Amino acid sequence: MSEYSKSRIYIFHYKNGSVLKLDPIYQPIMAGNALRSDNKTITGDDSGANISAKNPYYSELTGIYWVWKNTKQDVTGSCHYRRFFTAQPEPILHKLKRLLYYPAGLYKKRHGLIYTENTDLFAPKILNQQELNDLLNQFDAILPQARKLKYTVETHYRRYHDINDLNLLETILTEKYPDYLDAFHDVLQVKSLYANNMFVLKNQHFQEFMAWWFDVLFEFEKRIDLDHYTDYQKRILGFMAERLLNIWFKKQQLNCIELPVIYFKKFKFE
């Protein structure tokens, strides 16, 4: 039996809808379940130790926190109800379609993403237990292929969010984790980003990452006024988590493999 036989990749949902039937390693979780009354089928993130009610600000992080506090397995992964890792080659027709991204100016934006509505073709290509075992026998962790940005991470954040968030994050790291400052500055100056808070980690690294991740996020939350953030920007802790994930992996220098992400734009199944 593989040492990674007890593995779970959690699929975070935020509304009712179709659930793909996948390898048994996958388990759907309703993130923000404390704020819902219509979920009767998917395990919620509002039992035991949880921050489910903070979902408007933390996005899938409320589900990840629940997994950290209420489950235990040899390997833990995070993905989304429409975004999944794949270790299989992209079909040739989809590779050819990528040529159209260049004139449309979408090459960078869609790097590492396989956009599709064809669940029949691509659901079998989603990362399975055997592929996970093979990869984790060679690597410490699995991450999505880094998204290519037009600007540096710092400039990108300045254009789409409040740059004071990153200034506050720097202050917190200076006070609590000064050994992460070099990684922080390095991440801000690159033009790529591991997005969507997706990962697969062996338990030791998962525990270490969670403890650090949520310690910084909770400290950040204490020092901001959540009422200041509205509409799209309300997902502030989710956005900050993405940058922190990049900082943690930069600092840790784990032997990681980056996998493409299948992105189901629509589901066409019952």
Side-chain angles (χ1 to χ4, degrees), residues 229-248:
Y229 300 88
T230 59
D231 301 321
Y232 176 69
Q233 300 298 336
K234 287 184 72 172
R235 296 155 57 185
I236 174 60
L237 278 306
F239 297 142
M240 197 52 53
E242 285 181 306
R243 278 72 188 173
L244 285 168
L245 181 149
N246 284 261
I247 293 165
W248 189 83

Side-chain angles (χ1 to χ4, degrees), residues 54-68:
K54 295 183 179 183
N55 183 260
Y57 306 101
Y58 278 82
S59 298
E60 64 277 340
L61 270 291
T62 64
I64 296 174
Y65 182 85
W66 181 87
V67 167
W68 176 38

Side-chain angles (χ1 to χ4, degrees), residues 61-104:
L61 270 291
T62 64
I64 296 174
Y65 182 85
W66 181 87
V67 167
W68 176 38
K69 290 296 185 180
N70 298 282
T71 74
K72 187 174 182 180
Q73 45 271 323
D74 299 325
V75 173
T76 302
S78 164
C79 66
H80 297 246
Y81 74 107
R82 291 195 301 174
R83 299 183 183 94
F84 298 87
F85 292 107
T86 181
Q88 297 184 27
E90 186 175 6
I92 187 65
L93 289 178
H94 281 257
K95 285 186 177 181
L96 292 174
K97 183 179 177 181
R98 288 189 176 278
L99 297 176
L100 300 176
Y101 292 165
Y102 286 93

Side-chain angles (χ1 to χ4, degrees), residues 10 24 43 67 71 81 101 105 114 123 141 144 146 158 168 178 181 187-189 200 218 227 232 239 263 270:
Y10 293 90
T43 299
V67 167
T71 74
Y81 74 107
Y101 292 165
I114 302 172
R158 186 187 301 274
L168 174 56
L181 283 172
V187 166
L188 290 191
Q189 297 310 309
V200 178
F218 289 160
D227 292 336
Y232 176 69
F239 297 142
Y263 188 170
E270 295 180 359

